[in-house]
Amino acid sequence: MDCNVAENINTLAKFLGTRDIDALNQEELFNRYGIHQVDVMVLFGGSILEGGDVLASGIKNFVAKKYIIVGGAGHTTDTLRQVVHLEYPDIETTDLSEAEIFQKYIKHVYGCKADYLETKSTNCGNNITYLLDLLKENNISFNSIILSQDASMQRRMAAGLKKYVKEGVTIINYTTYCAKVLNQDEDLVFEDNIHGMWSINRYVNLLMGEIPRLSDDANGYGPNGKNYIAHVDIPENVMIAFEELKLVFGSETREANPLYASKVIKK
């Protein structure tokens, strides 16, 4: 396979899966933001299992005052259930929400737990709105927040929160993994082993599905489209990489599944 394919995948990944600090600890927070703890750290359940490892690291390093796991059942849930139960047969995952699965996982493996679980949300949009509802219901105010989501969806998650919070809130991205794809013997492979990682095809499909969503046009999720998220600037090199990948993988990117759409309450 053309080595440009791997480079283009990595270009999308670097843009979508952002980390604003190099490590999840108080020293990094202080060096970058002048604080030792954020008010809230959130893990979103759309992540692979590595997300639980990241959250546990944050808890162990006291990076936040409150820890929350957000996630009901969505397009990634069945995969998470299977991966966790296969690797840890003692953890029963049948019919559990993503938040409940991750809570069981970090208790079982690391002996720690999140302070709150949000178990009803089904997509990136209501991940954010239900999170904000939970914070309000529990009188948790915040001026700083760490968001950890799957690398494919990290930038969109931050743009979703940015739409709702006041200007002064510090949103810190810390994606749950940073993957690099290599071209090896005509195949695409991951450079490193990442805990619970997607297959290459699933990973590429997730990455490519994000660019149309982030686009601020009639079909995108930005203010000029569905207005789910704040405006996102997509660099030219990212758009070029996306268009070149479409020539290889086709124009079929992950469509939003209506099963997991936000419920509209009719008045």
Side-chain angles (χ1 to χ4, degrees):
M1 189 171 283
D2 190 333
C3 65
N4 282 345
V5 173
E7 289 174 16
N8 285 334
I9 293 168
N10 293 331
T11 295
L12 292 193
K14 189 174 180 182
F15 172 66
L16 295 170
T18 55
R19 281 187 175 175
D20 296 329
I21 49 179
D22 292 332
L24 208 52
N25 59 46
Q26 292 193 349
E27 184 181 3
E28 278 290 313
L29 281 173
F30 187 75
N31 289 341
R32 177 72 176 81
Y33 296 99
I35 55 176
H36 288 103
Q37 276 189 317
V38 295
D39 295 315
V40 180
M41 177 178 176
V42 186
L43 171 66
F44 294 95
S47 174
I48 59 170
L49 200 49
E50 182 81 8
D53 304 326
V54 165
L55 178 62
S57 169
I59 293 171
K60 298 285 189 183
N61 290 332
F62 304 101
V63 299
K65 296 169 185 172
K66 298 290 181 185
Y67 301 90
I68 300 169
I69 309 174
V70 171
H75 69 94
T76 60
T77 312
D78 280 340
T79 303
L80 180 66
R81 287 172 181 154
Q82 291 161 14
V83 168
V84 172
H85 192 58
L86 190 64
E87 194 169 334
Y88 302 94
D90 290 347
I91 302 178
E92 181 53 57
T93 61
T94 306
D95 296 331
L96 291 187
S97 67
E98 292 166 349
E100 290 166 325
I101 294 168
F102 273 114
Q103 182 82 314
K104 281 195 167 193
Y105 170 71
I106 64 172
K107 277 184 181 178
H108 182 82
V109 177
Y110 296 100
C112 60
K113 64 176 187 171
D115 298 296
Y116 299 94
L117 304 182
E118 187 292 305
T119 63
K120 303 298 182 191
S121 57
T122 57
N123 58 57
C124 283
N126 58 32
N127 277 171
I128 292 296
T129 55
Y130 289 6
L131 164 66
L132 294 172
D133 288 346
L134 183 151
L135 291 168
K136 187 175 181 180
E137 286 161 11
N138 290 280
N139 297 312
I140 301 169
S141 60
F142 66 99
N143 291 309
S144 56
I145 186 167
I146 295 172
L147 303 183
S148 285
Q149 171 61 298
D150 191 85
S152 62
M153 295 176 272
Q154 179 71 41
R155 187 171 287 273
R156 177 155 56 103
M157 195 60 73
L161 181 60
K162 191 176 177 184
K163 172 179 162 62
Y164 292 100
V165 298
K166 59 184 187 288
E167 192 80 14
V169 172
T170 301
I171 300 172
I172 302 171
N173 288 289
Y174 196 84
T175 188
T176 55
Y177 62 89
C178 296
K180 186 175 182 183
V181 171
L182 304 175
N183 191 35
Q184 187 178 86
D185 300 327
E186 300 302 310
D187 285 325
L188 293 169
V189 297
F190 291 112
E191 182 178 47
D192 299 313
N193 289 324
I194 298 172
H195 197 188
M197 189 55 183
W198 311 112
S199 68
I200 286 278
N201 284 344
R202 180 78 184 274
Y203 177 57
V204 172
N205 193 248
L206 287 169
L207 292 175
M208 291 181 67
E210 285 302 296
I211 302 304
R213 287 169 169 78
L214 289 176
S215 299
D216 196 2
D217 56 26
N219 298 314
Y221 287 6
N224 292 310
K226 295 187 170 80
N227 198 26
Y228 295 157
I229 62 175
H231 173 79
V232 173
D233 287 319
I234 303 177
E236 185 180 6
N237 69 315
V238 173
M239 287 306 303
I240 291 170
F242 174 66
E243 294 299 332
E244 289 183 357
L245 287 173
K246 284 204 302 189
L247 297 176
V248 177
F249 293 99
S251 58
E252 289 297 315
T253 58
R254 186 180 70 80
E255 296 293 333
N257 189 329
L259 285 174
Y260 308 124
S262 298
K263 302 295 185 286
V264 177
I265 299 172
K266 295 180 179 176
K267 295 182 180 179

